[in-house]
Amino acid sequence: MRPTWLWQAASAAFVVLVLAACQRAPESWRQESYVFGTRVELTVYDADLARAQRAAAAVLADLDGLHRQLHAWQSGGEVYAANQAIASGERFAASPLLTDLLTQAQQLEVQTDGLFSPAIGAMVAAWGFHAEQYAARLAAADTLADLAAARPRMADVLQQDGRWLSRNPAVQLDFGGMAKGWALDRSRQRLLKAGISSALLNIGGNVIALGSKPGGEPWRVGIRHPRRPEAMATLALADGEAIGTSGDYQRYFMLSGRRYCHLIDPRDAQSRCDVQSVSVISYPGPRAGLLSDVASKPIYFAGPRAAPRYADRFGLAGWLLIDARGEAWLPAALASRLQWQGTPPRIHHTGTP
């Protein structure tokens, strides 16, 4: 039975449509799986097919283990146990893996002015998105008001004498808004250590490139249209670049003509869905995957006017915001990289990368 982990702020599979994987040369090895509640696709080019197969199998096995370890609301994992301890006012131990996530999440929360926070698992659960099946119903207003007043933050989670505790019982950890990107970086390093230099890994729409395709052709990916199941634009990814999208169109429900999605604002526990989608491209680096996952969240909640400020904080290679009207906001530097499919939307250029 395959796992069904539905991430907090991660769009499901095909947020970014990986076009390159559909045009495989005979020497490529492509494998798919289903982890983190989403589809995983790995395409590897290597002269040694057996090496490519071993490397792909090792990456997917590692992702499956991370799925179990980091699951926020199914028993048996380390994050679930931490949440149980926090709710009981107890300390908890953290493996090096979880410690890394905790410390990076704290830094990223500060960097985003709290617009990204893995401490808001209770807010996400209040809206029903901690479930495989969820009803079209509003979250209880008093519950949301209490959670907003409690202001759960990663800053509430402290390390003392080798163990961790939360001084705020409203904190519930949910790394769904960063773990796919974090796992991209981990998987890229595994592939490189295995001798793989040409690959494309897609974890539910978060994509990272290794090298290029044989002959030097770059990996090309498509950014999904937020209202149609097709690519609205394509671009080439350089070696080490990563791309990710947060959107209102995968986990959502409609009620009285209004859309409510799984992207919950940490400031007030509300689901507004004022933006259709945000895609970000990060430069190569040790946290390229992580930033491609996290950086879309503050841009999404801040909106098009404030988007350049947060893009600048992360030093992004580019970003694309589709607002509630379906109009596109993007820096002029990215415009030259995009190839629009069909008639492009109305475009607003900004001056920040």
Side-chain angles (χ1 to χ4, degrees):
M1 180 176 179
R2 66 186 187 182
T4 54
W5 190 0
L6 301 170
W7 285 95
Q8 163 198 336
S11 300
F14 303 116
V15 174
V16 176
L17 305 174
V18 181
L19 307 181
C22 299
Q23 302 171 348
R24 294 177 287 130
E27 67 271 21
S28 69
W29 171 258
R30 182 169 180 262
Q31 192 164 345
E32 296 185 9
S33 186
Y34 194 86
V35 296
F36 293 169
T38 191
R39 185 176 176 182
V40 176
E41 299 169 302
L42 175 58
T43 302
V44 177
Y45 283 94
D46 196 272
D48 185 339
L49 183 60
R51 177 169 59 186
Q53 292 172 334
R54 287 194 303 270
V59 165
L60 295 177
D62 182 60
L63 292 175
D64 189 56
L66 292 175
H67 167 93
R68 293 189 296 271
Q69 187 173 359
L70 302 180
H71 203 297
W73 62 93
Q74 286 186 4
S75 61
E78 188 176 11
V79 173
Y80 178 85
N83 282 335
Q84 294 294 104
I86 290 171
S88 301
E90 300 173 355
R91 299 187 181 194
F92 61 93
S95 67
L97 183 150
L98 180 55
T99 296
D100 183 55
L101 281 169
L102 289 167
T103 53
Q104 294 212 54
Q106 290 176 328
Q107 180 266 317
L108 290 164
E109 184 182 71
V110 173
Q111 191 173 358
T112 62
D113 298 325
L115 294 179
F116 165 78
S117 178
I120 65 166
M123 294 183 181
V124 180
W127 281 96
F129 291 116
H130 273 190
E132 183 175 355
Q133 302 294 330
Y134 48 90
R137 62 170 180 80
L138 297 179
D142 56 346
T143 299
L144 297 183
D146 289 345
L147 287 170
R151 296 185 64 219
R153 298 173 297 165
M154 290 305 303
D156 295 320
V157 184
L158 309 173
Q159 189 175 23
Q160 293 183 356
D161 302 324
R163 296 175 71 84
W164 292 80
L165 72 149
S166 174
R167 59 190 176 188
N168 185 346
V171 168
Q172 285 287 279
L173 300 172
D174 182 345
F175 293 103
M178 67 183 286
K180 289 195 303 177
W182 179 86
L184 280 181
D185 296 323
R186 180 181 172 99
S187 297
R188 181 176 185 272
Q189 288 303 311
R190 281 182 167 269
L191 289 169
L192 291 173
K193 289 180 180 179
I196 302 300
S197 59
S198 176
L200 191 73
L201 176 60
N202 170 24
I203 304 179
N206 286 84
V207 183
I208 196 164
L210 277 74
S212 60
K213 293 163 60 175
E217 180 185 354
W219 296 103
R220 179 164 288 275
V221 300
I223 301 173
R224 178 178 161 162
H225 195 294
R227 292 296 179 263
R228 297 198 295 269
E230 61 191 35
M232 68 185 305
T234 69
L235 80 161
L237 283 185
D239 179 24
E241 282 190 325
I243 183 171
T245 297
S246 291
D248 70 355
Y249 52 90
Q250 288 292 343
R251 288 182 57 72
Y252 73 95
F253 60 84
M254 301 294 296
L255 193 63
S256 300
R258 179 176 171 182
R259 181 184 298 254
Y260 298 88
C261 64
H262 69 296
L263 293 160
I264 309 303
D265 193 325
R267 294 169 295 187
D268 57 12
Q270 296 298 320
S271 171
R272 291 188 183 83
C273 308
D274 294 332
V275 169
Q276 292 184 12
S277 68
V278 173
S279 298
V280 300
I281 302 98
S282 57
Y283 284 111
R287 298 203 306 168
L290 177 63
L291 297 185
S292 77
D293 200 1
V294 172
S296 60
K297 279 71 177 182
I299 294 175
Y300 183 94
F301 291 122
R305 301 296 180 185
R309 180 170 75 250
Y310 288 103
D312 186 60
R313 287 188 188 181
F314 284 101
L316 296 176
W319 57 274
L320 170 65
L321 182 150
I322 307 299
D323 67 19
R325 299 182 300 274
E327 298 179 5
W329 298 72
L330 68 158
L334 180 64
S336 62
R337 293 184 61 178
L338 287 182
Q339 293 183 8
W340 294 99
Q341 306 298 293
T343 304
R346 182 181 179 187
I347 295 174
H348 306 267
H349 285 153
T350 72
T352 300

